[in-house]
Amino acid sequence: MNELPLDQVRTLLAVVDEGTFDAAAAALHVTPSAISQRVKALEQRTGRVLLMRSKPVRATESGEVVIRFARQLARLERDARAELGMGAAEGMGPVRLPIAVNADSLATWFLPALTRVPQDPPVCFELHREDESHTTALLREGQVMAAVTSSPDPVAGCTVRGLGLARYLPVASPGFAARHLTGAPARDLREAPVIVFDRRDDLQDAFVRSLAGPDAAASPARHHVPTSEGFRDAVAAGLGWGLVPETQAGPLVRSGELVLLEPRRPLDVPLYWQQWKLDSPALSQVAAVIAEVAAEELRPAR
C-alpha cells in the first residue's frame, strides 16, 4: 500500500483551511506552484480526486478522509511534544479542540460543562453550532474532533457513548393557547402557527406525528427563530407553539408564562458523544467532563 507523504497531507489540509492555493502557499511559506504540485502528487498517489477546485476550495468525499487523518496527525504531534516536554511548536499556541454541539445543549448544560475542563495545558474550544441530527456530518468532514449528536451510529474512525435524554416540553403562551388550541391537540397543532429553529428543525413535526400519525406535520405557518433563547422567548411572546427544553420551559410553566399543551407527552431526544479514536489527553479530559455533567443534567436513557 502506498504511504501518504506527510508534507503532502499537511499541504492538503492547509489548502482546505485557507480556502485557496495562494492562501495556503502564504501560510506555508512556499510558492503556489509547490502547493499545486504537492496536491496533484497526493491525488496521483491515492488515485482519487481530493479537492473540488471551487472558491473556496472544498474537499471531496475522499479528500475528507485525508483531511481527517491530517487533523488527527496534528493532534498526535502536539500531544507527543507535550509528553516529551518539548513544548508547543512555534505558532501552535494552546490546545485547540473543535467540537460540534446543538444550540439547545449550548444554551443549557454544555457551556457550564466546559468550565470544569482542566486548563493545564490550556485548552481553546472552537464550537460549531449545528442541529444534533447533523453534527456527525462535521465529524465525517474532519472539521471537528467531537460532537454532541442524536445518532448512535459511530462515524468511521469515531467512538460513541450515550449521554442521556434531552427532554422537550410542548408549550405555548396562555393567550396563544386560548386563541388557537381549544380543541383536540392532534388537530389544533397541525393548524396553529408554530415556531421552528430553522428549515431543518424536525422536532415540532416529530411531536405532531407522535399525536396524529406518521403522515402528520405541524402547520406550514412557521416562524423561524434560529437561537435557543430566541426560540423560547418567541413562544413565550405568543408567536406560536413549540418544543422548548425542559430546563428553559419549566420555570416559565411554573410562573404561568407558558402552559403545557400535552402534560403527559414530553418529547425525549437521546444525545450521544462521538469523538475521534485518538489517544489525546485533552480530548479524553473533555469527554470525561461532558459525560459527568450530562449525567447530572440530562435524563437517564431508558
Side-chain angles (χ1 to χ4, degrees), residues 18-95:
E18 299 297 330
T20 67
F21 282 61
D22 287 346
L28 296 180
H29 307 292
V30 298
T31 65
S33 176
I35 295 292
S36 180
Q37 289 172 12
R38 290 179 191 177
V39 171
K40 288 179 180 178
L42 186 59
E43 289 180 323
Q44 291 172 353
R45 182 173 290 268
T46 59
R48 308 287 181 88
V49 175
L50 301 176
L51 291 179
M52 291 182 280
R53 272 67 170 178
S54 54
K55 290 189 177 180
V57 170
R58 292 176 55 200
T60 64
E61 185 174 346
S62 296
E64 289 170 0
V65 175
V66 181
I67 292 299
R68 186 165 62 244
F69 167 67
R71 295 196 194 284
Q72 292 172 347
L73 183 68
R75 173 80 274 137
L76 288 171
E77 179 182 2
R78 180 191 293 272
D79 290 341
R81 293 180 65 88
E83 290 184 29
L84 291 171
M86 296 172 62
E90 183 180 354
M92 292 182 73
V95 174

Side-chain angles (χ1 to χ4, degrees), residues 177-193:
R179 291 193 305 273
H180 296 281
L181 306 173
T182 57
R187 182 201 68 203
D188 288 351
L189 294 182
R190 287 182 287 176
E191 300 175 357

